[in-house]
Amino acid sequence: VSTQSTGGPWTPEMEETPPVAAPEQEHAANQETCEVEPQPAGAKQSSAKRKQNTRSTKPNLVLKFTLTGHENPVTVAKYSPDGNWISTASADKFIKIWNAVDGQFEHTLMGHSQGISDLSWSSDSIHLASASDDHEIRIWDAKIGCCVNRLKGHSNFVCCLNFNPQSNLLVSGSFDETVRIWDVKSGSCLRDLPAHSDPVTAVHFCRDGTLIVSGSYDGICRIWDAGTGQCLKTLIGEESAPVSFVKFSPNGKYIVVSTLDNTIRLWNYSVGKVTKTYRGHKNEQFCITSDFLILGQEAWLVSCSEDGQVLVWDVDHREVVCQFEAHASTVTGICCHPHQAELATCSMDRSVKIWQHVDLE
């Protein structure tokens, strides 16, 4: 997706006084302890104690297998929630489904007339939604490979989308600067939110589906009530760099925000402040993604980089604990396996690679 801003009408009624993290506040916040992984039911062990017990298990990612078949840069790779499938999409207009266990190619989904920017699985791992530059969203039966619905309404490239946990709603963001909330069954648009003043680059539901976060090239992240469409909070950093990616943390307490100034920030959105800042990767041009890799009870922040690298940070200490050359070109997407210490990366080099954690001797 191009980083060129298209401008557009500002929406005064949505404007709030944004909380801004000053440099000295951001430095102090970086010393805080952040727990981003879901707390196991009945767990009483303190966060600090759990981290002390698991800190020795650092990610050690080795190549499991490589998937090839796309004719153009691969823009997105996503594991199904049950962990059985990997979906990939490309600027070549095609979606491919692969067996996540052995990398066996299953089938290709065809129908979009332009490149595809994003994919999202339904919670039952049956349906797959795709966002395309042809201004359409398609919903597919991923098992049999047919399109079951087409959602029309965006007036420009559809850049991003996400199913809610119940998978009865879908949120999408577009180059037309709007966020739309869709009824999956009927395909009707329930909300058309004039969300931003520049293209919307990322959207994500929180773990219980009550909130949506959106990010944009206008440098702003917004938190929305998924039921009413009301803007609950506006987050903007001091630099206001274009936002390339946003996502709720696994426990829903934070949002990860990537910006086109080579920076990832962890926001405590309830109080409107940055708690951690991560640097070391390259992100100045493309909407590349991040995710959380879970090892035992510990979560690690993983990110793509435009120099072909993958980086893994200790969430609390902001230390790069693992860095390796994953691809020959920009790593455009990264997605962690829902149940295993494994992740998928995709790249402009037209390949998808699966990496698994192997304990060090």
Side-chain angles (χ1 to χ4, degrees):
V1 178
S2 168
T3 59
Q4 180 65 39
S5 169
T6 60
W10 180 248
T11 312
E13 64 269 21
M14 290 177 49
E15 188 173 2
E16 304 172 10
T17 302
V20 177
E24 61 272 15
Q25 292 174 322
E26 186 171 300
H27 175 75
N30 275 321
Q31 312 309 313
E32 298 178 12
T33 298
C34 295
E35 183 178 320
V36 298
E37 65 273 16
Q39 181 79 4
K44 296 182 179 180
Q45 193 177 32
S46 72
S47 172
K49 184 68 174 176
R50 292 201 323 276
K51 291 179 186 298
Q52 181 181 352
N53 291 344
T54 61
R55 183 58 59 190
S56 59
T57 308
K58 291 185 178 181
N60 177 46
L61 296 165
V62 299
L63 183 63
K64 183 178 179 182
F65 50 75
T66 301
L67 309 177
T68 58
H70 284 291
E71 299 176 357
N72 290 105
V74 184
T75 53
V76 57
K78 293 285 181 72
Y79 284 99
S80 59
D82 63 11
N84 292 332
W85 310 104
I86 301 170
S87 59
T88 63
S90 166
D92 63 12
K93 306 178 287 188
F94 299 137
I95 301 165
K96 294 183 182 293
I97 307 296
W98 316 78
N99 186 303
V101 176
D102 57 13
Q104 180 70 34
F105 170 71
E106 297 293 326
H107 49 258
T108 299
L109 310 181
M110 297 179 287
H112 282 296
S113 61
Q114 293 189 45
I116 299 162
S117 294
D118 202 8
L119 298 171
S120 181
W121 286 91
S122 61
S123 57
D124 59 9
S125 300
I126 293 175
H127 293 107
L128 183 69
S130 56
S132 172
D133 286 358
D134 63 13
H135 306 183
E136 279 192 14
I137 296 165
R138 292 193 177 219
I139 299 178
W140 310 80
D141 184 314
K143 185 174 183 180
I144 63 176
C146 71
C147 179
V148 297
N149 213 339
R150 298 167 67 179
L151 311 185
K152 300 180 181 182
H154 281 298
S155 60
N156 211 322
F157 310 142
V158 188
C159 302
C160 48
L161 43 65
N162 186 231
F163 274 107
N164 70 339
Q166 299 77 21
S167 298
N168 63 320
L169 298 178
L170 190 73
V171 62
S172 61
S174 168
F175 225 75
D176 65 14
E177 304 170 7
T178 70
V179 168
R180 286 178 175 253
I181 303 173
W182 307 82
D183 179 85
V184 172
K185 186 175 182 179
S186 67
S188 61
C189 181
L190 304 178
R191 305 279 179 188
D192 180 7
L193 309 176
H196 292 275
S197 58
D198 273 320
V200 181
T201 54
V203 289
H204 192 233
F205 276 99
C206 68
R207 62 183 303 194
D208 65 3
T210 58
L211 300 176
I212 295 167
V213 62
S214 64
S216 166
Y217 283 150
D218 63 12
I220 292 173
C221 293
R222 286 200 160 101
I223 308 293
W224 308 86
D225 184 300
T228 66
Q230 179 185 1
C231 181
L232 303 177
K233 187 155 300 216
T234 296
L235 306 174
I236 181 171
E238 186 179 58
E239 298 298 325
S240 298
V243 175
S244 54
F245 180 73
V246 293
K247 181 175 185 171
F248 282 99
S249 63
N251 64 8
K253 294 181 180 179
Y254 303 91
I255 58 170
V256 174
V257 181
S258 299
T259 48
L260 295 180
D261 58 357
N262 308 307
T263 305
I264 301 173
R265 294 176 177 87
L266 190 70
W267 283 81
N268 182 333
Y269 62 87
S270 62
V271 298
K273 72 171 185 176
V274 175
T275 60
K276 299 288 178 182
T277 304
Y278 309 92
R279 295 185 176 93
H281 66 307
K282 183 179 180 182
N283 185 198
E284 299 175 346
Q285 188 175 3
F286 301 107
C287 292
I288 60 178
T289 64
S290 303
D291 204 353
F292 288 97
L293 177 68
I294 307 297
L295 292 180
Q297 293 180 324
E298 184 72 14
W300 307 83
L301 178 64
V302 296
S303 176
C304 309
S305 183
E306 290 171 3
D307 58 7
Q309 303 273 317
V310 165
L311 287 82
V312 185
W313 286 268
D314 179 308
V315 172
D316 271 340
H317 297 90
R318 299 169 292 123
E319 172 193 3
V320 176
V321 297
C322 180
Q323 182 175 355
F324 57 94
E325 185 173 346
H327 291 271
S329 186
T330 296
V331 185
T332 51
I334 195 164
C335 181
C336 294
H337 193 287
H339 314 303
Q340 300 175 14
E342 179 179 303
L343 58 84
T345 59
C346 58
S347 171
M348 288 190 174
D349 67 10
R350 301 180 293 178
S351 72
V352 177
K353 295 186 178 182
I354 310 303
W355 310 84
Q356 62 182 352
H357 168 76
V358 176
D359 289 330
L360 293 169
E361 295 293 335

